[in-house]
Amino acid sequence: MEKSALQKARASYQPKLPKALQGAVKIAEGAPTQSVDNQEDIKKLFPNTYGMPLIEFVQGNEIPAKAINVGIILSGGQAPGGHNVISGLFDEVKKLNPNNRLYGFLMGPGGLVDHKYIEITADFLNDYRNTGGFDMIGSGRTKLETTEQFEKGLEIIRKLDINAIVIIGGDDSNTNACVLAEYYAAKNYGVQVIGCPKTIDGDLKNDQIETSFGFDTATKTYSELIGNIERDCNSARKYWHFVKLMGRSASHIALECALQTQPNICIISEEVEAKDLTLNNIIENIAAAVAYRAEQGQNFGVVLIPEGLIEFVPAIGRLIQELNDLLAAHGADYKDLDKDAQREYIMAHLSAENKATFETLPESVGRQLSLDRDPHGNVQVSLIETEKLISEMVDAKLASWAKQGKYKGQFAPQHHFFGYEGRCAAPSNFDADYCYALGTSAALLIASGKTGYMAIVKNTTANAENWKAGGVPITMMMNMERRNGEMKPVIRKALVELDGKPFKTFAAQRDEWAKNTCYIYPGPIQYWGPSEVCDQPTKTLELEQK
Amino acid sequence: MEKSALQKARASYQPKLPKALQGAVKIAEGAPTQSVDNQEDIKKLFPNTYGMPLIEFVQGNEIPAKAINVGIILSGGQAPGGHNVISGLFDEVKKLNPNNRLYGFLMGPGGLVDHKYIEITADFLNDYRNTGGFDMIGSGRTKLETTEQFEKGLEIIRKLDINAIVIIGGDDSNTNACVLAEYYAAKNYGVQVIGCPKTIDGDLKNDQIETSFGFDTATKTYSELIGNIERDCNSARKYWHFVKLMGRSASHIALECALQTQPNICIISEEVEAKDLTLNNIIENIAAAVAYRAEQGQNFGVVLIPEGLIEFVPAIGRLIQELNDLLAAHGADYKDLDKDAQREYIMAHLSAENKATFETLPESVGRQLSLDRDPHGNVQVSLIETEKLISEMVDAKLASWAKQGKYKGQFAPQHHFFGYEGRCAAPSNFDADYCYALGTSAALLIASGKTGYMAIVKNTTANAENWKAGGVPITMMMNMERRNGEMKPVIRKALVELDGKPFKTFAAQRDEWAKNTCYIYPGPIQYWGPSEVCDQPTKTLELEQK
């Protein structure tokens, strides 16, 4: 494996561990816990893993040097630091007993079901310490949900004499980890299941989980790029840059990047929904900022757009809903019509409100909404280039204002979408340390005989040595939600809270940012150098925790 | 101005100066020089600035502590390090005499003509040391070409008592700097003009100029992103990423990024032209790699595409030429036809060869070539999303191979265009040092009474203190070329040389890279840390100079 100078130098970084995890450890248990909602339902569904106490690891000498074999699974989208969770887990498992073995299931949860795995050895692991990516063992999106899968997994677990499975994933994967833990506990199989909070989207977060790993590195990488674009924008003074950012439904990434870079405009999906804003409202807000800046001779700016925006515009949500129903009922005769006739057909059948929404959309987007469907008949929202849709509509709005004499200026848009650029960046010091501590905690939870827990690390705005590590019962974070028409126990997803400090901090400054040029240029992630440059947590974390 | 932690910490970086520039300096002059071609023509056009010697600054005590005022101009596209050229110039000018003044003309060469300027003071400058962007004084694309402009510029030069103008720009801007130098010399105005080699594209390069500034930082920033995408690609194992890279006509950026990251495929426009490859040849080469990898179960990969590719495909060049002529002659009646009729019209009028080329293009691209024109009637090549064009054509080729049973696999493309992300990044240590030395040299050239020179720094693969600084007569790099139908003296543009070491090194390895997965992950630019991580020049420079 040929390596860059940075890869070589970074390999020797020794992640900082919380003091409590550095030597011998004992467990401090809290009181029994309750799920965040629907306590009776959750308790009934998880009789063996409900109500367990919160756990904190403190200095002591209680956790035995146990013989354990562990299997690890990476689930879902990549996030920087996954390899360090595995490193922390490996080092602690070997510290507990050098004969302990760690197995990696390949290409995600499917590896457990299909019995595809490798043993992770020290030599093999050393190539991946402090690296980004999930390429060490691969990841995948197979959902572990059925008893057939659980039983199939058990075969290989027995064959390899594995005591515990660690699942590194987002909210859904951790929900499934808990279902698996409950199943193995109910069957008395003696197999523990431990989760780890992963996602760049930042939406796996609650009273117990301060942040999901990868959010720090991904947002810093996107902010580097946004800052560079801002500086270009402020130098050339002739473009409006529309930047779409990954993050699925939640706008945490967009909000964090806005706090780091102070762009002229950042749209927050959760606010759009809460205020029942229409697409036209959003467009008018942007166009007003463009027009204001044009008056000052500033025909340039930067706009951040969260990936999930379209679905959060209530009017468009309602339109999509009606289109789904309409095409499900009449899809067959509709399909054979030509393009223009299809449009007429839709306009004739939509309710007045949704027809009005449909008419405001550029034709290409209307077409995507009404025609391009996934195999389940749903709109493929991710295919819509929201950044272009919005800049086109702003352009049209400005043109109409120009006709009315309300706007005079040049509007030249540029478009960007950042996602893949940050999911596999080499983890920042924060993520490298945080993940290593999560992996270490996962090993200690296993050694303590726990199951149905997620490894957690708290107090993360302090120095790493003062972080607090432990575990949270996964059931504690659950409630009941409707999924595909059925009520299911799930970990509650964290969207941006409009009364939370990060959003309020942003909201208090955004008018200033829109009018003036207040760009901040964070630059690339630094691994060496002054601590204030290398070791800072995200603005979101700082505002939430301090 | 609110600043990031990196901005604050980086502000105090003291660029490393070559030993020869650290103390008192004298000039070592070489023999008289000749232009690279068309010596008689160039000599005739530049009687006052032709044939001057190469200059090297060495330790000594000859250059007087002269009283001089200097004006500086940023010309053309942004490149990391421009602010450091200004810093080096400022510091040296003030060292020569604390009463010396430095003026910055605003928003490019137009600032000289329109008399828009600011005085650059120590306080003002300190906010911009070691930063990216050209926002300190702005840049612009006005060409300084006419005597009216030169005379208008002279008015403000006289008013501010300026002795010399420094123009920071690419090949065209430096050509114009020389024309201006010659004009002021011929008129005996006593105003010197000095150039500095700037461009991320890397195409201002020759025996005297080892590299243009900004190329180092920009290619390292793009390589960071490409490496991150490669790691994602290698983790998810389900996408082919098509990455278009800025760089105008030349493929230096794509080649350098390929050497840094070892993608599966990198197209080099200069090779396409030299081998008279068709678009279909290119598509078949890529599709063959996709098919080969699919057989090994690797339905993923990364392809780098230089921005200027389309114009370098000889068949498309010929097609564009005929379309230009055709539409110039018949544009009026053509315009009123509907879409399908326009296509028929074109097909009916094109020569057989160009018709065949036109038919292989996706309809949307054919339409862009035949309809969307700039005000001069030329195709707007930069509007063509080459990365999508190529992936669409690869997709179609694979589909036809699948029908013939020659291909079995999944092909899911993703698209990226990197340009604005790197033009204004904070300069790497290399660019920070290199630019500071260029600025210092420019000041010394002025103090030595020189005009029509470009500041240069050589031996740049050694440690900065062993770099050699000096000046090259701009006429030495000139030849005569046809521009808009007229023969003009211009600095010869450096395209990728197919018998140069960078290309040959790439060509020797690319089959291996296509078949196997040999990705290298360079990571983000580091400003602190091990020297082998922070201070390395580009691979191109290393291969060319060593």
Side-chain angles (χ1 to χ4, degrees):
Chain A
M1 220 195 299
E2 209 171 326
K3 289 182 184 167
S4 70
L6 181 84
Q7 285 176 273
K8 286 180 207 157
R10 185 69 177 158
S12 61
Y13 177 72
Q14 183 53 51
K16 300 183 275 294
L17 260 189
K19 248 183 301 179
L21 298 184
Q22 289 175 12
V25 171
K26 70 174 184 178
I27 277 183
E29 286 195 359
T33 58
Q34 298 277 359
S35 62
V36 287
D37 204 352
N38 315 102
Q39 289 84 2
E40 284 314 305
D41 296 321
I42 306 286
K43 190 174 179 179
K44 222 196 267 153
L45 288 164
F46 296 91
N48 296 281
T49 53
Y50 188 86
M52 303 182 297
L54 277 172
I55 282 174
E56 188 185 337
F57 298 118
V58 294
Q59 287 172 310
N61 204 356
E62 264 179 16
I63 296 180
K66 225 176 150 183
I68 44 169
N69 295 327
V70 176
I72 183 132
I73 295 170
L74 293 166
S75 180
Q78 283 77 253
H83 290 163
N84 267 31
V85 177
I86 302 180
S87 306
L89 178 63
F90 178 87
D91 289 349
E92 189 65 23
V93 160
K94 291 288 182 186
K95 193 171 130 193
L96 287 165
N97 186 329
N99 296 323
N100 287 345
R101 287 165 185 265
L102 178 63
Y103 296 97
F105 290 99
L106 299 178
M107 298 312 290
L112 178 68
V113 180
D114 304 337
H115 301 183
K116 299 214 167 116
Y117 67 94
I118 49 162
E119 185 180 346
I120 294 172
T121 61
D123 270 359
F124 174 73
L125 180 69
N126 282 342
D127 268 342
Y128 294 95
R129 288 182 188 268
N130 310 308
T131 62
F134 279 5
D135 45 311
M136 187 202 286
I137 53 174
S139 181
R141 297 193 184 269
T142 303
K143 288 183 195 300
L144 288 182
E145 288 177 318
T146 68
T147 54
E148 290 73 26
Q149 290 173 315
F150 301 166
E151 290 291 338
K152 201 87 183 65
L154 188 71
E155 291 172 15
I156 189 70
I157 286 171
R158 291 291 185 235
K159 190 178 153 206
L160 299 174
D161 195 18
I162 283 176
N163 307 80
I165 298 288
V166 176
I167 296 178
I168 300 175
D171 51 346
D172 285 341
S173 302
N174 277 290
T175 293
N176 292 341
C178 195
V179 174
L180 183 64
E182 175 65 29
Y183 180 84
Y184 285 166
K187 293 274 184 180
N188 257 319
Y189 287 161
V191 179
Q192 302 156 247
V193 182
I194 300 295
C196 277
K198 170 230 72 170
T199 170
I200 63 163
D201 303 339
D203 57 3
L204 175 48
K205 177 166 76 167
N206 50 48
D207 287 344
Q208 305 308 325
I209 298 175
E210 295 186 355
T211 187
S212 55
F213 80 74
F215 180 70
D216 186 270
T217 307
T219 54
K220 282 173 180 164
T221 303
Y222 303 143
S223 295
E224 171 200 357
L225 302 181
I226 295 163
N228 286 358
I229 286 171
E230 285 178 341
R231 192 131 213 171
D232 199 288
C233 181
N234 194 22
S235 300
R237 307 174 79 84
K238 61 181 177 186
Y239 294 122
W240 272 86
H241 291 268
F242 289 78
V243 183
K244 186 170 73 173
L245 293 163
M246 254 193 193
R248 301 218 169 197
S249 313
S251 302
H252 296 292
I253 288 181
L255 178 56
E256 172 63 26
C257 292
L259 290 167
Q260 284 192 38
T261 63
Q262 303 191 169
N264 302 96
I265 293 166
C266 174
I267 304 169
I268 302 296
S269 302
E270 290 85 343
E271 184 184 26
V272 168
E273 185 174 47
K275 295 190 174 164
D276 199 4
L277 297 182
T278 65
L279 200 50
N280 192 47
N281 294 145
I282 297 169
I283 300 307
E284 287 199 337
N285 287 342
I286 299 175
V290 173
Y292 177 89
R293 290 175 64 82
E295 270 172 39
Q296 326 298 312
Q298 319 256 290
N299 287 300
F300 63 92
V302 174
V303 183
L304 305 188
I305 300 164
E307 183 182 28
L309 175 65
I310 283 296
E311 291 170 285
F312 273 76
V313 178
I316 294 189
R318 291 188 291 269
L319 168 64
I320 291 176
Q321 198 53 55
E322 191 177 350
L323 280 172
N324 282 347
D325 294 347
L326 181 68
L327 298 181
H330 305 285
D333 28 308
Y334 169 83
K335 247 188 170 169
D336 298 327
L337 301 175
D338 78 9
K339 231 160 134 180
D340 294 335
Q342 282 184 335
R343 196 177 162 86
E344 271 169 43
Y345 182 93
I346 284 173
M347 303 284 273
H349 285 76
L350 283 178
S351 64
E353 187 215 343
N354 288 335
K355 189 180 157 198
T357 304
F358 193 79
E359 279 176 320
T360 64
L361 297 175
E363 207 181 312
S364 62
V365 176
R367 206 169 156 68
Q368 271 176 306
L369 289 182
S370 61
L371 193 63
D372 299 341
R373 297 279 156 153
D374 74 8
H376 309 288
N378 293 316
V379 178
Q380 293 181 274
V381 180
S382 67
L383 292 183
I384 299 175
E385 294 178 295
T386 325
E387 67 281 19
K388 289 189 185 165
L389 161 66
I390 293 204
S391 89
E392 269 176 41
M393 292 181 75
V394 168
D395 198 13
K397 179 68 68 183
L398 290 169
S400 82
W401 287 357
K403 268 192 199 154
Q404 300 163 39
K406 283 159 56 182
Y407 164 73
K408 239 174 146 170
Q410 266 93 48
F411 178 71
Q414 296 282 350
H415 306 99
H416 312 265
F417 170 42
F418 297 138
Y420 301 102
E421 291 77 0
R423 302 198 312 178
C424 289
S428 61
N429 287 353
F430 178 90
D431 270 329
D433 297 347
Y434 182 59
C435 289
Y436 193 79
L438 284 173
T440 308
S441 299
L444 291 169
L445 287 167
I446 296 167
S448 320
K450 303 295 175 191
T451 191
Y453 273 81
M454 209 185 291
I456 53 170
V457 173
K458 292 184 168 188
N459 200 30
T460 51
T461 53
N463 285 338
E465 64 166 14
N466 293 319
W467 289 357
K468 295 176 193 306
V472 55
I474 300 178
T475 53
M476 187 184 177
M477 300 177 286
M478 285 188 172
N479 65 359
M480 301 297 291
E481 290 180 21
R482 184 169 299 278
R483 295 284 168 96
N484 298 324
E486 255 181 283
M487 290 306 283
K488 292 259 186 187
V490 295
I491 296 176
R492 190 184 272 176
K493 203 184 266 297
L495 298 181
V496 169
E497 287 177 13
L498 302 186
D499 57 356
K501 260 197 159 180
F503 179 80
K504 283 168 93 172
T505 304
F506 159 72
Q509 299 177 79
R510 62 177 154 185
D511 288 345
E512 173 73 15
W513 299 352
K515 288 184 179 162
N516 301 311
T517 301
C518 306
Y519 302 151
I520 293 180
Y521 315 117
I525 290 176
Q526 297 296 301
Y527 302 104
W528 296 271
S531 179
E532 67 274 18
V533 177
C534 299
D535 300 316
Q536 291 311 298
T538 58
K539 303 271 177 199
T540 302
L541 202 50
E542 223 164 328
L543 290 165
E544 281 175 345
Q545 303 294 326
K546 281 193 168 162
Chain B
M1 220 194 300
E2 209 171 327
K3 290 183 182 167
S4 70
L6 181 85
Q7 284 176 272
K8 285 180 209 157
R10 184 70 178 159
S12 62
Y13 177 73
Q14 182 54 51
K16 300 184 275 293
L17 260 189
K19 248 183 301 179
L21 299 185
Q22 287 174 14
V25 171
K26 69 173 183 179
I27 276 184
E29 286 196 359
T33 58
Q34 296 277 359
S35 62
V36 287
D37 204 354
N38 313 104
Q39 288 83 2
E40 286 313 306
D41 295 321
I42 306 285
K43 190 173 178 180
K44 220 193 277 160
L45 288 163
F46 296 91
N48 297 282
T49 53
Y50 188 87
M52 302 183 295
L54 276 172
I55 282 175
E56 188 185 336
F57 298 117
V58 294
Q59 287 171 310
N61 205 356
E62 265 179 17
I63 297 181
K66 223 178 155 184
I68 44 170
N69 295 328
V70 176
I72 183 129
I73 294 170
L74 293 165
S75 180
Q78 284 77 251
H83 290 164
N84 267 31
V85 177
I86 302 180
S87 305
L89 179 63
F90 178 89
D91 289 350
E92 190 64 25
V93 161
K94 290 289 181 184
K95 195 172 129 193
L96 287 166
N97 186 330
N99 295 324
N100 288 345
R101 288 166 184 265
L102 177 62
Y103 295 96
F105 289 99
L106 299 178
M107 298 312 291
L112 178 67
V113 181
D114 305 336
H115 302 184
K116 298 212 168 121
Y117 67 92
I118 50 164
E119 184 181 347
I120 295 173
T121 61
D123 270 359
F124 174 71
L125 180 69
N126 282 342
D127 268 343
Y128 294 95
R129 288 182 188 270
N130 310 307
T131 61
F134 278 6
D135 44 311
M136 188 202 285
I137 53 174
S139 181
R141 297 193 184 271
T142 303
K143 288 184 195 302
L144 287 182
E145 290 177 317
T146 68
T147 52
E148 289 72 24
Q149 291 173 316
F150 302 165
E151 291 291 337
K152 201 88 182 63
L154 188 71
E155 291 172 16
I156 189 72
I157 287 170
R158 291 289 185 237
K159 189 176 155 206
L160 299 174
D161 195 17
I162 283 175
N163 307 80
I165 297 288
V166 176
I167 295 178
I168 300 175
D171 50 346
D172 285 341
S173 303
N174 277 290
T175 293
N176 292 342
C178 194
V179 174
L180 184 64
E182 176 65 30
Y183 180 85
Y184 285 167
K187 293 275 185 179
N188 258 318
Y189 286 162
V191 179
Q192 302 157 246
V193 183
I194 300 294
C196 276
K198 171 230 70 169
T199 171
I200 64 163
D201 303 341
D203 56 4
L204 175 48
K205 178 166 77 170
N206 50 48
D207 287 344
Q208 305 309 324
I209 298 175
E210 295 187 355
T211 187
S212 56
F213 80 75
F215 180 69
D216 186 271
T217 307
T219 54
K220 283 173 180 165
T221 302
Y222 302 143
S223 295
E224 170 200 358
L225 301 181
I226 295 163
N228 286 357
I229 284 171
E230 285 179 341
R231 193 130 215 172
D232 200 287
C233 182
N234 194 22
S235 300
R237 307 174 78 84
K238 62 181 175 187
Y239 294 122
W240 272 86
H241 292 268
F242 289 78
V243 183
K244 186 170 74 174
L245 292 163
M246 253 192 194
R248 301 217 168 196
S249 313
S251 302
H252 296 292
I253 288 181
L255 178 57
E256 171 63 26
C257 291
L259 291 167
Q260 285 192 39
T261 63
Q262 303 192 169
N264 302 97
I265 293 166
C266 175
I267 304 170
I268 301 296
S269 302
E270 290 86 342
E271 185 185 25
V272 169
E273 185 174 47
K275 296 189 176 165
D276 200 3
L277 298 182
T278 65
L279 201 50
N280 192 47
N281 294 145
I282 298 169
I283 301 305
E284 285 200 337
N285 286 343
I286 299 174
V290 173
Y292 178 89
R293 290 176 63 82
E295 271 172 39
Q296 326 298 311
Q298 319 257 291
N299 287 299
F300 64 91
V302 173
V303 182
L304 305 189
I305 299 165
E307 184 182 28
L309 176 64
I310 283 296
E311 287 169 287
F312 274 77
V313 177
I316 295 189
R318 291 188 291 268
L319 168 63
I320 290 175
Q321 198 51 57
E322 191 177 349
L323 280 173
N324 282 347
D325 294 346
L326 182 66
L327 298 182
H330 303 286
D333 27 312
Y334 170 83
K335 247 189 172 170
D336 297 328
L337 301 175
D338 78 11
K339 231 160 133 180
D340 295 333
Q342 283 185 334
R343 196 175 163 87
E344 271 168 42
Y345 183 94
I346 285 174
M347 303 285 271
H349 285 75
L350 283 178
S351 65
E353 187 216 343
N354 288 334
K355 189 181 159 199
T357 304
F358 193 77
E359 279 176 320
T360 64
L361 298 174
E363 208 182 311
S364 62
V365 176
R367 206 169 157 66
Q368 271 178 306
L369 290 182
S370 61
L371 193 62
D372 299 340
R373 298 278 157 153
D374 74 9
H376 310 288
N378 293 315
V379 179
Q380 293 181 275
V381 180
S382 67
L383 291 184
I384 300 175
E385 294 178 297
T386 324
E387 66 282 20
K388 288 188 185 164
L389 161 67
I390 293 202
S391 90
E392 268 176 41
M393 292 182 75
V394 168
D395 198 12
K397 180 68 68 183
L398 291 169
S400 82
W401 286 358
K403 269 192 197 150
Q404 300 163 38
K406 282 160 55 183
Y407 165 72
K408 239 173 145 168
Q410 266 92 48
F411 178 70
Q414 296 282 350
H415 306 99
H416 313 264
F417 170 43
F418 296 137
Y420 301 101
E421 291 78 359
R423 301 198 312 179
C424 288
S428 61
N429 286 353
F430 178 90
D431 270 329
D433 297 348
Y434 182 58
C435 289
Y436 193 80
L438 284 174
T440 308
S441 299
L444 290 168
L445 287 168
I446 296 167
S448 319
K450 303 296 175 188
T451 190
Y453 274 81
M454 209 184 295
I456 52 169
V457 173
K458 292 183 167 190
N459 200 30
T460 51
T461 54
N463 286 338
E465 66 167 12
N466 294 319
W467 289 357
K468 294 177 194 304
V472 55
I474 300 178
T475 52
M476 186 184 178
M477 302 177 285
M478 284 189 172
N479 65 359
M480 301 298 291
E481 291 179 22
R482 185 170 298 279
R483 297 282 168 95
N484 300 322
E486 254 181 283
M487 290 307 283
K488 291 259 185 187
V490 295
I491 297 177
R492 190 184 271 177
K493 202 186 266 298
L495 298 181
V496 169
E497 287 177 14
L498 301 186
D499 57 357
K501 261 198 160 181
F503 179 79
K504 283 169 95 172
T505 304
F506 159 72
Q509 300 178 77
R510 62 177 155 186
D511 288 345
E512 172 73 15
W513 298 352
K515 289 185 178 161
N516 301 310
T517 300
C518 307
Y519 302 151
I520 293 181
Y521 314 117
I525 290 175
Q526 297 297 299
Y527 301 104
W528 296 271
S531 178
E532 68 273 19
V533 177
C534 300
D535 300 316
Q536 292 311 299
T538 59
K539 304 271 177 200
T540 301
L541 202 50
E542 223 165 329
L543 289 164
E544 281 175 346
Q545 302 295 326
K546 282 195 168 162

